[in-house]
Amino acid sequence: MAATALGDLGFLASHRGTNLQAVLDACKTGRLRARPAVVIGNNRNAEVLARARRAGVPAYHVSTATHPDPEALDRTIRDTLIRHGVGLVVLAGYQKKLGPETLAYYARRVINIHPALLPHFGGLGMYGMRVHETVLASRATETGVTIHLVDGDYDRGAILAQCRVPVLPGDSPETLAARVLAREHGFLVETLERILAGELPLPGPFSVAPA
Ligand code: GRF
């Protein structure tokens, strides 16, 4: 296997995959100097897997359906990432927790994008429209996007980057979700650019020793 670099990107995602698409497009145009190495989805028919395949990126369905044993599932995800030479793992709408083996191997090399300003409006159950409904119910005047390191807990790892998005009078959860999502796409690409350029250093060493 060629030496693993941070720019060798592995993605985990569950459904739609518009954030993945933004990164694929940025790699294709050369704006982002990275290699989308592999996409793992936990739903066999998810659009995100079709997006990956259309772009010629290897895509796998790996879930409790394919691997009912949690340890086997965890090892398969880790080994798939390793086999494709992944250096940085991007959770782009992945609604499952990563297992301990994957988190240990890729410690401080897994990032997640969340559609709100953590540490608020995050945690178990805070995904999809629920995030935006809760933001509106709180009467916050702004929300945003957070990109953070992933540890064992939902939405809890160190925050790497945030940007703000206004909440406008008359917003519904749907209009707010659309405004945030539109910002997510550019912000994910920008943040990856900064990470890969060393402007946003990820903490700590990364061992690429065989698992
Ligand atoms: C995004 O809002 C992301 O922040 C969250 O899940 C959603 C995924 O959207 N974690 P998509 O699948 O990339 O379109």
Side-chain angles (χ1 to χ4, degrees):
M1 189 181 78
T4 298
L6 269 186
D8 295 317
L9 304 177
F11 296 86
L12 286 105
S14 295
H15 296 295
R16 189 175 49 186
T18 62
N19 277 289
L20 170 74
Q21 190 69 56
V23 177
L24 294 177
D25 292 348
C27 290
K28 193 167 176 196
T29 63
R31 173 176 171 191
L32 186 63
R33 296 170 63 84
R35 177 180 72 96
V38 66
V39 175
I40 298 172
N42 63 303
N43 290 302
R44 185 184 305 279
N45 296 317
E47 199 181 337
V48 70
L49 293 177
R51 288 179 189 274
R53 291 182 184 123
R54 274 201 299 275
V57 177
Y60 300 90
H61 167 222
V62 183
S63 72
T64 51
T66 60
H67 298 79
D69 171 37
E71 287 176 14
L73 175 63
D74 183 12
R75 278 197 305 274
T76 300
I77 290 174
R78 179 199 62 186
D79 293 348
T80 303
L81 295 168
I82 293 172
R83 195 169 73 246
H84 287 276
V86 168
L88 179 65
V89 180
V90 181
L91 306 190
Y94 188 57
Q95 291 175 354
K96 299 285 176 190
K97 265 191 181 177
L98 283 180
E101 298 285 346
T102 305
L103 282 173
Y105 187 86
Y106 282 102
R108 301 176 301 281
R109 294 300 178 269
V110 183
I111 65 171
N112 180 50
I113 181 161
H114 183 79
L117 293 173
L118 294 175
H120 307 292
F121 309 115
L124 184 62
M126 287 295 266
Y127 60 85
M129 219 39 90
R130 178 105 184 92
V131 176
H132 307 293
E133 287 164 1
T134 311
V135 169
L136 288 175
S138 78
R139 302 196 172 276
T141 55
E142 60 180 12
T143 182
V145 182
T146 301
I147 294 176
H148 64 95
L149 287 178
V150 172
D151 57 22
D153 263 337
Y154 284 108
D155 302 329
R156 284 276 173 230
I159 291 172
L160 294 171
Q162 289 184 308
C163 69
R164 295 177 186 280
V165 174
V167 177
L168 300 181
D171 259 339
S172 65
E174 290 76 17
T175 59
L176 186 57
R179 190 176 311 116
V180 172
L181 185 67
R183 186 68 188 97
E184 283 185 50
H185 298 154
F187 192 61
L188 179 57
V189 171
E190 284 163 31
T191 303
L192 284 169
E193 278 180 323
R194 291 176 61 209
I195 290 171
L196 299 183
E199 289 166 22
L200 192 55
L202 299 182
F206 173 55
S207 156
V208 291

